[in-house]
Amino acid sequence: MSSRLQTAAAPTASGMARAIPHRNKPPQDTSAGCFTLAEADRARATGMNTAHGRDKYSSSAAAWTSRAELLARLETGSARTMGVLECA
């Protein structure tokens, strides 16, 4: 299986090559995609006629939000490690 990060040719100021996130990730593998899926499920929940339908989509939205928050932390930590973001 191929790596999910590609390395840029030019090194950063720290001397390490900068990591560029792979742009062809499916939505469920990125924080932004998971937040979008959560919003879609929240919208579906409000349109449901039954309590079961609302609960089903509300639960799904909560799961997507949790996954998105986890991926966001991982993406931020990975970017800092690779020197893409400035550390405070």
Side-chain angles (χ1 to χ4, degrees):
M1 181 157 221
S2 66
S3 173
R4 296 217 180 235
L5 293 177
Q6 299 171 345
T7 305
T12 62
S14 67
M16 294 183 63
R18 218 174 87 185
I20 301 170
H22 186 26
R23 304 235 189 275
N24 295 324
K25 286 185 178 181
Q28 67 270 19
D29 288 346
T30 65
S31 60
C34 289
F35 280 123
T36 300
L37 292 167
E39 269 307 305
D41 281 352
R42 272 189 214 92
R44 284 186 196 113
T46 59
M48 287 286 118
N49 293 331
T50 64
H52 174 71
R54 286 188 296 276
D55 290 344
K56 176 180 146 187
Y57 284 112
S58 294
S59 175
S60 178
W64 282 121
T65 299
S66 293
R67 180 175 172 81
E69 291 167 350
L70 170 67
L71 288 173
R73 286 193 306 271
L74 291 172
E75 290 165 1
T76 300
S78 185
R80 281 195 181 124
T81 300
M82 300 306 277
V84 175
L85 296 177
E86 297 281 328
C87 292

